[in-house]
Amino acid sequence: MEDGPSVIQQGFLCPFCMTDLGSYIALANHVESAHPEDADTPAFEQIRGFIDKAKRSFKRFEPGIDIENLREKVGNIATSASAGNILQSESLQRSVEPLRKTRSKSREREVKPTKVKPIEIIHVRPEIGVKRSHTDYFLRCREASVNDIAVRTNTLIIRMDKLINEAPQEHSKRKDFERFVVPWSEDSESSACPGCNQKFSLTRRRHHCRLCGKVLCEKCSRFLSFLTARKLTNPALAAAMTEEKQNASTQKAEVRSLDKLADLAQRTGGHLRGLIGGSKSNDGSEVSISTLLRQDAAEHLRVCVPCLTLLERREQQMEARNPPAMVSLYERLVGLLSEMSKLTPSYSRMALSINNGEAIYTLQAAEELRRRIAERQREVDVLSKTIENEGGEGLPFREQQLRKNIRFVSVQTLHNFISNMPNLPSSEKYAELAEEHRNKVAKQVEEARLQAQRAVSNIKIPSVPIVETKPSSSFMGRVVEDGWTPDFSPITNPFAEEEDRQHPLQEQRGILRGYLSQAAAVGRLEEVEILERNLRDLEAEMRQLGLNFD
Amino acid sequence: MNILATARLYIGEMVTQAGPQMKVLLMDKETTGIVSCAFAQSEMMHKEVYLFERIDNAAPRENIKHLKCIVFVRPTAENIQLLCRELRSPKYAQYYIFFSNIANKSDIKLLAEADEEETVREVHEFFIDAVPLSKHLLSIGLHHPYDASLRLSTTAFLHAKQTIISLLLAFKKAPTVCYQKSNGDCEKLADEVTQVMRREEALFRTCKEDTLLLVIDRSEDCATPLLNQWTYEAMVHELLGLQNNRVTLDGQSLVLSELQDEFYEKNVNANFGEIGQSIKQLMEQFQSKAQIHKNVESIADMKSFVEEYPQFKKMSGTVSKHVSIVGELSRLVAANNLLEVSELEQSIVVDGDHTTCLDRVRNHLVNKQTTVLNATRLVLLYALRFEQHQNNDIDGVVALLRSKEPAAASLVRVLLRFGGASRRKNDLFGSQSAVEMTKRFIKGLKGVENVYTQHTPYLTQIIESIARGRFNENVYPKHTASQYSARVDNIIVFVIGGATYAELAQVRAANERRNQAGGPSVLLATTHMLNAQSFIDQLREMGGTTR
């Protein structure tokens, strides 16, 4: 519409091939002869139809236009041929506009915009409103400022590395070495501590941050233990230490971890080894790492608050890379729940069909699926309980609440699933049901046959009303749809004689049922639906041919 | 236009954007109201949102580094500051930030600079900035929006403007803006909304023009909030008080949500008699189900009973809840003599026969059973209705009221200053137009169906006149910069100074009519929800008298 031809054609145009026919009669003849699909409707009816089509596209940009009037007018034009215009859709509205203006006032009022026929748009699905993303802008702004911080932190860490690893043993030389690594600012430059704004005096002495060299007072000084410092300068050691800490907390920590740590120290840090050698030169024992750590804990660097903040942040970032055990438990839990949200509806479907006595699924398959679901239910229960109780009372309040809520949702979801699972009949009961169903179907088939004899009509196979069991949980949303194909394993007897072979339809039915039970067992609802439909069609066909099912 | 559905979509989208994993939702006071009306807490938990926190909570929150954090806040200066602090020392692993309205670029920059640990993943504007109390009702929840000069306070004005903008964007509408000419606030609001629409052209580009936005002030109709109501929801608010769809009864907070409570959804607009009937049915159903419970003998019976358990529990939950609410309502109706009071209220605003009304008001005022609230509302209604009647005795009834309500005189004065005949230019009581008089005459001939519900809010007339295309453009002109749209398929009415549930009932009815016979869809938006008590308190505040 919007990008239609720029040249507006006028005249007696055929709506189908756009040729100018010159007169109304010629046009009518042309339409009747050249476009005879609806040969028994008069030509102008077709034109109306065309205009109807055009008007539908109008509504997109001119919804207020009074369609009824338009149609009437255009109809007039077409029949009387007085105006002599069959219009192409985009010229239609423009040409009708002046016509409309000549109409009486009363008519005009009817065309008032507020008079609308909104029924057609009532059942619009609610759609989400306008959204605007600032993420790109945000990231751009962040990049600039974050780079700056990263550079500053890295400088500090490089300095720190030097300070703790290359420091001379003698205490007297230590200070000079520190001043050599980080130039200290002159005492005269600052008369007050930048941290607390208090003037320096005899009692409030000047100190220096070992990392940035700025002056600060005793009260504003923070102390960074060598242990933390080492962690920051040697990420591999840090990882090992966190692991050790975790092991210790689960009370599995043995000498093993200490050994490992020492070993690691050997392998990674040239500096570290040097230090070990320095401190315990004559011993030669490799397990001296624990001593080293203990010694580190006692030593520390004087730093200022801004430097410490930067370093702490880095430390936290490093720790964040090691998620607690609960996260993996939770992942497993969610996996189980989403699996169940697929399997349960599938099972309900099976059970419903079996309770109806149909032979689409076997009772064993349903029982098997039920067992599998029950297994998962138990696992969910155990897992969520573990999550709830793992940390015990010692956890912070929110963490406890989080775990409780996870347990709550799991239990609720389980509850939902269980209550949506119909029972299966016992095998004797199922035999009864199946018999009943067979009789019923036979009766229906008989009736249908009788009916068909009386009149040509479609045989309707009564389909089982299937209750849509909606998966109640949003865990469905997490399922990544992947492809699925059933294994092809035809149940054929290689020793069967040619004449014993099943009818192809019977064979087909066997295969379909095999697929169906496979699909149901893995909870592929969509496939199940399609396969069930196919199976029904097939069985209807077989019934018509008078084939028995087994 | 279903604001509740839109809000749910927005919040659902936030959760989707944050992706799987355990999540915490960080909100401010206003957005907490939005989320709590749109979703039940357990519903959010099923979406893996397990914790709910307030950003303005002074108590320090503990670090939980394995949580993702969805931040949903209004883009106020205060929130930006709090958020900056949060990002400088993040408590959670990742942050997904959603603002409920247009945010300043400079604020985004501030946040970016504060995000030194690079925990933020997404920053968006999602336009849902006020509480979706119901499908067709949006309320800011801003009590006492007026200052002493009877104008909107600066903060209230700003909040109202932002709410309208976000509402339009939520529905993707670029409406024709109309306003009540007699009120300065309405004109200013219409003006500034139009300005924002022009300034934020990019946002409004995809918006449709099939909507009319009308900004009116409460002063147009002061009668409706003063009347006793008899539809379920309105009654609950009038007698018990609804706060974000929650009512407190015997110290217990009950949720009345059309979303989760089927019975409530069906009966929200039903009048008091009908609810009793429905409850009876519900109880019978419940008892017949409970019968099964008694007959449980075998284990198989028990099992099949448990299979019906969730429904059973849910059903018994709603039954007991509504039984206790309706029980309390009927107690109050009897104790406060509400039937008589209500009948008199209706005859004041509808019949308007001065002599009988005056007599009966006097009788009620001296009656000991009449509560202070009811006495006050009768006097206020009398004053409003007969303000211009030659023989009115406003001073006389005020004198009678004074023994119960010391601020009586001041209240009447403020009411007439706020919504009296001189300020409102409309025909509130239908005494001027011939059409309305004829309507009343015919009604009189036919007999009245229900004496307690004769009055219909003035808003109904406005909506009908828009729907019929007979909108009075002298009283409610369109803003000069805005065009009349080709067709009005949606009406958004923003009421400054509070709306009532009686008005919502009318809006609901209009939307139901649309489903059957067509007509525009209607949405009511307002600063807050009123009942007689809060309206009178509001008048008291405007008059500067404290209790």
Side-chain angles (χ1 to χ4, degrees):
Chain A
M1 279 296 305
E2 285 82 2
D3 46 19
S6 51
V7 184
I8 296 163
Q9 287 179 279
Q10 290 195 335
F12 285 94
L13 299 178
C14 167
F16 300 101
C17 53
M18 297 296 162
T19 39
D20 195 341
L21 278 287
S23 78
Y24 171 63
I25 297 152
L27 173 65
N29 287 340
H30 163 79
V31 170
E32 250 168 358
S33 55
H35 311 285
E37 330 172 71
D38 289 317
D40 36 6
T41 48
F44 83 86
E45 276 294 333
Q46 283 200 9
I47 292 162
R48 262 200 200 180
F50 173 68
I51 286 158
D52 278 351
K53 244 183 263 163
K55 123 203 139 184
R56 247 173 275 139
S57 29
F58 270 165
K59 288 200 316 200
R60 266 184 304 176
F61 62 92
E62 186 67 54
I65 195 155
D66 189 320
I67 305 311
E68 282 312 308
N69 272 354
L70 237 185
R71 178 208 279 259
E72 191 187 314
K73 279 170 217 149
V74 176
N76 286 346
I77 299 164
T79 42
S80 68
S82 61
N85 276 348
I86 303 296
L87 302 153
Q88 246 183 289
S89 51
E90 71 265 28
S91 61
L92 180 63
Q93 184 220 342
R94 232 167 298 154
S95 318
V96 170
E97 209 53 50
L99 246 181
R100 192 207 282 196
K101 283 194 181 119
T102 62
R103 293 254 161 184
S104 68
K105 273 270 159 74
S106 62
R107 199 82 208 208
E108 199 66 56
R109 194 166 295 154
E110 276 183 32
V111 199
K112 266 237 158 174
T114 46
K115 191 133 170 104
V116 288
K117 305 161 197 67
I119 300 170
E120 49 195 301
I121 50 121
I122 280 174
H123 300 291
V124 206
R125 282 180 65 90
E127 56 163 348
I128 198 162
V130 176
K131 294 177 283 184
R132 181 158 67 177
S133 169
H134 286 299
T135 310
D136 288 346
Y137 178 70
F138 182 92
L139 293 182
R140 248 182 290 132
C141 293
R142 186 174 72 183
E143 209 172 338
S145 70
V146 158
N147 276 344
D148 183 40
I149 287 172
V151 168
R152 257 163 46 208
T153 317
N154 285 343
T155 322
L156 292 185
I157 286 178
I158 291 168
R159 284 175 178 177
M160 201 164 62
D161 186 52
K162 275 191 191 150
L163 285 175
I164 57 172
N165 289 327
E166 293 170 16
Q169 272 320 100
E170 299 94 296
H171 226 71
S172 50
K173 286 187 193 164
R174 176 97 42 107
K175 200 167 182 178
D176 287 333
F177 172 73
E178 284 171 353
R179 295 191 72 160
F180 169 74
V181 176
V182 182
W184 289 6
S185 66
E186 288 302 315
D187 285 5
S188 54
E189 274 177 30
S190 38
S191 57
C193 167
C196 53
N197 259 339
Q198 304 271 2
K199 274 223 157 82
F200 290 119
S201 64
L202 264 179
T203 46
R204 184 173 284 108
R205 301 284 308 276
R206 288 181 174 83
H207 295 278
H208 288 89
C209 169
R210 298 300 193 264
L211 292 176
C212 65
K214 290 215 177 82
V215 178
L216 72 166
C217 74
E218 174 71 28
K219 255 165 97 188
C220 294
S221 300
R222 299 289 179 271
F223 295 94
L224 186 73
S225 77
F226 268 33
L227 199 65
T228 324
R230 219 178 282 286
K231 237 169 89 184
L232 282 164
T233 52
N234 189 341
L237 179 64
M241 277 165 68
T242 352
E243 197 179 305
E244 186 198 10
K245 221 165 68 191
Q246 268 177 1
N247 284 343
S249 69
T250 47
Q251 273 151 30
K252 277 188 233 150
E254 296 300 334
V255 196
R256 187 185 54 89
S257 65
L258 260 183
D259 280 349
K260 222 171 101 196
L261 214 61
D263 185 42
L264 189 95
Q266 288 262 309
R267 271 187 287 111
T268 52
H271 312 305
L272 214 54
R273 188 161 347 134
L275 234 166
I276 296 167
S279 60
K280 286 264 172 186
S281 52
N282 300 328
D283 201 338
S285 156
E286 286 186 349
V287 201
S288 56
I289 182 87
S290 54
T291 345
L292 174 72
L293 290 178
R294 229 172 289 133
Q295 181 203 337
D296 272 4
E299 286 200 69
H300 46 246
L301 286 173
R302 184 189 295 272
V303 294
C304 62
V305 176
C307 288
L308 190 66
T309 322
L310 285 176
L311 292 176
E312 274 176 349
R313 190 167 294 155
R314 179 61 65 88
E315 193 187 3
Q316 274 175 17
Q317 277 171 4
M318 283 164 65
E319 274 179 359
R321 286 184 206 132
N322 305 301
M326 179 243 198
V327 173
S328 55
L329 286 182
Y330 178 77
E331 277 297 300
R332 170 103 188 98
L333 179 71
V334 168
L336 281 171
L337 284 173
S338 69
E339 198 181 342
M340 275 172 57
S341 72
K342 283 194 309 183
L343 291 181
T344 314
S346 174
Y347 167 76
S348 308
R349 218 183 157 86
M350 268 186 163
L352 207 71
S353 156
I354 282 172
N355 278 321
N356 274 323
E358 292 177 329
I360 295 178
Y361 305 97
T362 59
L363 188 57
Q364 291 98 302
E367 275 164 354
E368 163 67 19
L369 187 57
R370 188 188 176 89
R371 206 182 46 70
R372 272 176 56 205
I373 294 175
E375 233 167 61
R376 277 159 185 72
Q377 284 168 350
R378 262 192 302 281
E379 204 175 334
V380 165
D381 187 46
V382 170
L383 213 51
S384 59
K385 218 180 258 168
T386 318
I387 290 179
E388 190 186 12
N389 300 325
E390 184 198 41
E393 292 297 302
L395 285 175
F397 176 68
R398 284 302 192 215
E399 180 80 39
Q400 277 185 38
Q401 199 182 7
L402 170 73
R403 285 158 187 262
K404 264 189 203 119
N405 285 347
I406 291 174
R407 166 81 176 151
F408 169 77
V409 170
S410 310
V411 169
Q412 214 181 35
T413 318
L414 268 188
H415 211 282
N416 251 333
F417 282 146
I418 293 172
S419 63
N420 278 334
M421 280 175 66
N423 281 324
L424 289 172
S426 64
S427 50
E428 298 92 53
K429 178 85 178 155
Y430 176 59
E432 269 173 49
L433 285 170
E435 184 59 35
E436 219 171 88
H437 180 73
R438 254 199 300 280
N439 292 339
K440 210 170 81 191
V441 171
K443 221 169 103 192
Q444 275 161 352
V445 170
E446 193 51 38
E447 267 172 28
R449 208 169 269 160
L450 285 175
Q451 249 179 21
Q453 278 168 5
R454 264 180 260 133
V456 190
S457 69
N458 294 333
I459 304 170
K460 266 195 186 160
I461 305 300
S463 61
V464 193
I466 287 155
V467 185
E468 282 293 335
T469 40
K470 262 198 186 159
S472 61
S473 136
S474 63
F475 291 113
M476 273 303 261
R478 299 193 52 171
V479 180
V480 184
E481 277 303 313
D482 41 2
W484 174 83
T485 39
D487 299 321
F488 179 75
S489 52
I491 322 138
T492 44
N493 184 356
F495 301 108
E497 292 296 318
E498 191 66 24
E499 48 265 38
D500 287 349
R501 278 274 169 87
Q502 288 175 314
H503 186 278
L505 279 185
Q506 283 170 333
E507 203 174 317
Q508 186 65 30
R509 180 170 174 272
I511 294 168
L512 261 182
R513 288 187 56 187
Y515 286 172
L516 185 54
S517 60
Q518 283 180 47
V522 292
R524 307 288 302 199
L525 263 194
E526 250 171 68
E527 282 84 355
V528 165
E529 250 166 64
I530 296 167
L531 288 169
E532 274 187 11
R533 212 179 312 128
N534 289 347
L535 194 59
R536 286 216 176 79
D537 291 348
L538 194 68
E539 287 180 355
E541 187 66 25
M542 285 166 74
R543 247 177 242 123
Q544 275 199 329
L545 291 172
L547 290 167
N548 65 359
F549 286 168
D550 294 300
Chain B
M1 291 188 296
N2 181 340
I3 189 66
L4 205 50
T6 310
R8 284 173 66 88
L9 285 173
Y10 269 134
I11 296 169
E13 176 67 18
M14 290 175 201
V15 178
T16 315
Q17 290 229 357
Q21 265 300 337
M22 291 169 263
K23 290 176 279 279
V24 54
L25 182 56
L26 187 61
M27 302 165 285
D28 61 23
K29 183 167 168 282
E30 283 86 1
T31 54
T32 306
I34 299 173
V35 175
S36 74
C37 281
F39 282 99
Q41 193 172 341
S42 63
E43 244 179 314
M44 286 307 280
M45 283 204 231
H46 277 281
K47 291 175 181 287
E48 298 186 89
V49 179
Y50 294 111
L51 290 178
F52 303 87
E53 299 280 3
R54 282 274 291 273
I55 197 170
D56 48 352
N57 190 351
R61 273 173 281 115
E62 61 201 50
N63 285 8
I64 307 183
K65 285 291 188 185
H66 47 278
L67 281 181
K68 286 180 174 180
C69 180
I70 302 171
V71 183
F72 176 38
V73 292
R74 304 192 68 236
T76 60
E78 196 198 359
N79 283 341
I80 297 288
Q81 212 183 350
L82 288 169
L83 205 47
C84 280
R85 202 182 302 160
E86 173 82 23
L87 292 180
R88 284 220 168 81
S89 50
K91 310 223 166 14
Y92 311 110
Q94 296 173 4
Y95 287 80
Y96 298 81
I97 301 173
F98 300 93
F99 290 115
S100 62
N101 214 323
I102 298 171
N104 281 334
K105 279 250 164 172
S106 56
D107 285 344
I108 306 273
K109 191 150 182 264
L110 275 181
L111 284 177
E113 281 161 6
D115 184 25
E116 292 163 357
E117 300 200 14
E118 301 180 71
T119 47
V120 175
R121 295 296 148 101
E122 299 282 345
V123 183
H124 293 273
E125 287 165 355
F126 277 18
F127 298 94
I128 178 77
D129 205 12
V131 184
L133 288 177
S134 148
K135 282 184 209 165
H136 312 293
L137 176 65
L138 186 75
S139 163
I140 304 176
L142 190 75
H143 295 271
H144 306 297
Y146 295 107
D147 59 20
S149 67
L150 312 187
R151 298 284 301 254
L152 272 179
S153 67
T154 326
T155 47
F157 182 86
L158 184 69
H159 208 149
K161 180 174 96 180
Q162 288 166 340
T163 297
I164 294 177
I165 292 297
S166 75
L167 177 62
L168 296 177
L169 288 168
F171 286 135
K172 294 191 177 171
K173 303 294 181 201
T176 308
V177 184
C178 297
Y179 59 95
Q180 177 190 329
K181 197 180 174 187
S182 57
N183 187 287
D185 281 332
C186 295
E187 184 169 0
K188 197 171 150 212
L189 205 48
D191 190 47
E192 297 207 1
V193 165
T194 322
Q195 274 178 30
V196 175
M197 281 168 62
R198 214 175 315 153
R199 188 159 17 118
E200 298 286 343
E201 199 207 347
L203 279 176
F204 282 91
R205 196 172 295 142
T206 53
C207 294
K208 285 198 187 133
E209 296 182 340
D210 56 359
T211 302
L212 189 141
L213 166 70
L214 174 64
V215 184
I216 54 175
D217 190 82
R218 184 72 261 169
S219 55
E220 277 292 83
D221 174 12
C222 289
T224 307
L226 287 170
L227 294 170
N228 267 301
Q229 298 300 336
W230 297 96
T231 55
Y232 193 23
E233 183 184 36
M235 249 183 123
V236 171
H237 187 51
E238 184 64 44
L239 298 177
L240 303 172
L242 272 174
Q243 181 67 42
N244 280 357
N245 293 342
R246 278 158 186 80
V247 61
T248 310
L249 197 64
D250 301 330
Q252 202 187 353
S253 175
L254 303 172
V255 181
L256 289 181
S257 159
E258 286 173 81
L259 224 56
Q260 290 135 27
D261 186 341
E262 207 183 321
F263 177 83
Y264 186 63
E265 192 203 346
K266 276 187 190 144
N267 290 285
V268 69
N269 257 7
N271 72 38
F272 195 48
E274 290 163 359
I275 311 161
Q277 212 58 37
S278 309
I279 294 240
K280 210 180 127 201
Q281 273 175 16
L282 204 62
M283 283 187 95
E284 277 166 6
Q285 267 176 29
F286 170 56
Q287 272 172 359
S288 71
K289 284 238 173 179
Q291 201 68 30
I292 303 167
H293 182 62
K294 280 177 188 164
N295 286 344
V296 169
E297 277 159 12
S298 67
I299 295 171
D301 281 351
M302 280 167 77
K303 266 189 185 166
S304 59
F305 182 75
V306 169
E307 275 183 19
E308 288 182 28
Y309 184 66
Q311 265 172 314
F312 168 77
K313 193 182 168 192
K314 211 173 149 194
M315 194 171 160
S316 75
T318 46
V319 172
S320 56
K321 181 166 74 184
H322 292 291
V323 167
S324 53
I325 292 175
V326 172
E328 178 64 11
L329 290 182
S330 65
R331 188 188 69 78
L332 288 169
V333 167
N336 297 342
N337 202 11
L338 283 187
L339 286 171
E340 251 177 74
V341 174
S342 175
E343 195 193 335
L344 174 54
E345 288 166 10
Q346 295 286 331
S347 44
I348 294 175
V349 291
V350 180
D351 299 344
D353 180 25
H354 177 248
T355 335
T356 38
C357 285
L358 182 58
D359 276 354
R360 290 172 67 194
V361 169
R362 279 184 180 139
N363 283 339
H364 273 282
L365 286 179
V366 293
N367 187 342
K368 274 193 187 139
Q369 214 192 345
T370 313
T371 60
V372 181
L373 175 65
N374 286 330
T376 313
R377 77 165 104 213
L378 284 175
V379 170
L380 291 178
L381 280 171
Y382 174 83
L384 195 66
R385 180 70 173 91
F386 299 112
E387 185 189 359
Q388 287 169 312
H389 196 278
Q390 307 97 301
N391 301 325
N392 74 24
D393 186 20
I394 295 177
D395 291 343
V397 290
V398 164
L400 278 175
L401 179 62
R402 200 165 286 146
S403 62
K404 294 190 183 207
E405 167 63 71
S410 150
L411 284 177
V412 169
R413 210 166 41 240
V414 175
L415 175 74
L416 295 182
R417 202 151 63 86
F418 175 69
S422 58
R423 191 148 183 258
R424 69 164 199 271
K425 298 283 187 325
N426 62 11
D427 182 17
L428 180 59
F429 297 104
S431 46
Q432 287 151 29
S433 100
V435 184
E436 288 301 315
M437 298 233 315
T438 335
K439 257 196 210 164
R440 262 192 305 155
F441 178 69
I442 293 169
K443 219 178 188 177
L445 286 182
K446 279 198 291 195
V448 185
E449 284 172 24
N450 185 340
V451 280
Y452 308 111
T453 56
Q454 298 173 69
H455 172 261
T456 50
Y458 185 64
L459 186 71
T460 319
Q461 275 183 49
I462 297 181
I463 292 172
E464 271 174 20
S465 66
I466 300 174
R468 293 210 183 113
R470 295 208 205 100
F471 193 41
N472 190 337
E473 284 157 33
N474 296 321
V475 186
Y476 306 112
K478 72 172 175 61
H479 187 267
T480 39
S482 97
Q483 299 291 316
Y484 270 121
S485 56
R487 70 187 221 173
V488 176
D489 201 32
N490 302 286
I491 303 172
I492 298 174
V493 183
F494 187 90
V495 186
I496 298 173
T500 69
Y501 281 103
E503 281 155 343
L504 175 62
Q506 296 292 329
V507 167
R508 256 198 212 103
N511 283 304
E512 257 155 48
R513 266 203 303 283
R514 169 187 167 84
N515 282 337
Q516 280 139 25
S521 116
V522 186
L523 185 114
L524 183 63
T526 184
T527 46
H528 57 297
M529 292 313 285
L530 289 171
N531 56 16
Q533 187 64 59
S534 59
F535 183 64
I536 291 170
D537 287 346
Q538 195 169 307
L539 291 175
R540 205 188 302 276
E541 186 120 323
M542 284 189 266
T545 45
T546 45
R547 241 180 166 164

